[in-house]
């Protein structure tokens, strides 16, 4: 017999209730740090099942790991893994303020993997509705502001953030993602419950000093990016539901506002103290 729990979480400005069987569903540690006492505006019921339901709807987008259905204006997602021909779960919106998440019992052991767990909640969609962007970056706090290192995976985002920890006493808030939104008119980086292989995840909000797009070079050099160049480089690192035209347009508008208010740089860098000093000079 299960033990039904209700817990409340706040990510950015999105507060929601999660109803689940505590004996079956284990909440990842990075998700737990976002637990709160605020009043929820949305409810998810997390269900474990032997099979997934057959839900009818208009196909909006389909690829190996994801099937999107429109069911009378409410979204359903069948969740899978790239290269496979089966789905491990379903995210189904029931009303404008509630959804159910269904996971196959055979895949329960994967829930402690942050991206796997978070895939059941469509968080990027809910936060975009609140004018927030999810940026692939190493989110670092230095003094009273945030520096965001962004680039494709394997470029060295965490490495550069770690150099700042070593030489400038900063600390990494999240090693893989940052939630970006305006707080009282100021673009601010918030924590996010997915941190990739870095293992670094904290729930902290810090005003953004700059966004630094990285590339590996043989010598350290930096330049202020033009708005067009900044847009091109940064958009590729956003989490965007590209099957939804409204989401794409809203993400573009928010990114433009971010670029208008926060400086973007390109740092060609080595793994050295010199990379830190090169960026520090322009700050």
């Amino acid at each position: 017999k299960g033990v039904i729990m209700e817990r409340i979480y706040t990510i950015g400005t999105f507060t929601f209730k999660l109803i689940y069987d505590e004996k079956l569903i284990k909440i990842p540690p990075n998700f737990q740090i976002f637990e709160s006492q605020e009043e929820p505006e949305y409810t998810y019921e997390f269900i474990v099942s032997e099979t997934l339901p057959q839900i009818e709807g208009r196909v909006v987008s389909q690829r190996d790991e994801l099937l999107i259905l429109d069911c009378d204006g409410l979204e359903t997602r069948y969740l899978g893994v790239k290269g496979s021909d089966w789905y491990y779960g379903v995210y189904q919106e029931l009303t404008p303020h509630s959804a159910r998440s269904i996971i196959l019992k055979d895949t329960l052991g994967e829930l402690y993997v942050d991206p796997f767990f978070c895939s059941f909640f469509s968080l990027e969609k809910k936060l975009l509705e609140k004018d927030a962007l999810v940026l692939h970056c190493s989110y670092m706090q230095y003094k009273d502001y945030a520096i965001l290192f962004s680039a494709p995976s394997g470029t060295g985002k965490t490495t550069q953030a770690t150099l700042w920890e070593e030489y400038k006493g900063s600390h990494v808030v999240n090693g893989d993602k940052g939630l970006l939104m305006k707080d009282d008119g100021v673009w601010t980086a918030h924590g996010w419950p997915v941190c990739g292989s870095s293992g670094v995840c904290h729930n902290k909000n810090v005003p953004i000093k700059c966004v630094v797009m990285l590339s590996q070079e043989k010598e350290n050099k930096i330049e202020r990016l033009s708005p067009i160049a900044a847009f091109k480089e940064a958009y590729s690192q956003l989490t965007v539901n590209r099957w939804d035209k409204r989401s794409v347009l809203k993400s573009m508008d928010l990114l433009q506002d971010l670029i208008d208010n926060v400086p973007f740089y390109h740092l060609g860098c080595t793994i050295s103290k010199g990379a830190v000093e090169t960026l520090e000079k322009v700050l």
Side-chain angles (χ1 to χ4, degrees), residues 199-212:
V200 182
C201 182
H202 300 285
N203 184 9
K204 197 167 188 179
N205 312 331
V206 185
I208 302 170
K209 178 72 170 180
C210 66
V211 180
V212 183

Side-chain angles (χ1 to χ4, degrees), residues 131 181-190 207-208 257-258 260-262:
D131 298 338
M181 59 193 310
K182 274 188 170 180
D183 292 345
D184 297 324
V186 177
W187 276 97
T188 302
H190 290 244
I208 302 170
D257 189 87
L258 175 66
D260 289 342
N261 289 278
V262 174

Side-chain angles (χ1 to χ4, degrees), residues 232-279:
K232 181 179 179 180
E233 291 199 35
Y235 184 78
S236 66
Q237 300 306 314
L238 291 179
T239 300
V240 180
N241 293 333
R242 291 178 170 81
W243 61 83
D244 182 357
K245 182 178 179 180
R246 289 175 299 178
S247 293
V248 171
L249 293 175
K250 187 165 187 178
S251 296
M252 294 173 70
D253 286 343
L254 289 171
L255 178 57
Q256 187 60 61
D257 189 87
L258 175 66
I259 291 169
D260 289 342
N261 289 278
V262 174
F264 275 67
Y265 297 96
H266 178 264
L267 176 65
C269 55
T270 61
I271 304 174
S272 67
K273 185 179 181 180
V276 175
E277 294 171 340
T278 298
L279 174 58

Side-chain angles (χ1 to χ4, degrees), residues 52-63:
L52 298 180
Q54 298 298 312
I55 300 170
E56 298 295 326
R58 179 177 62 87
V59 176
V60 175
S61 178
Q62 184 171 14
R63 54 181 191 261

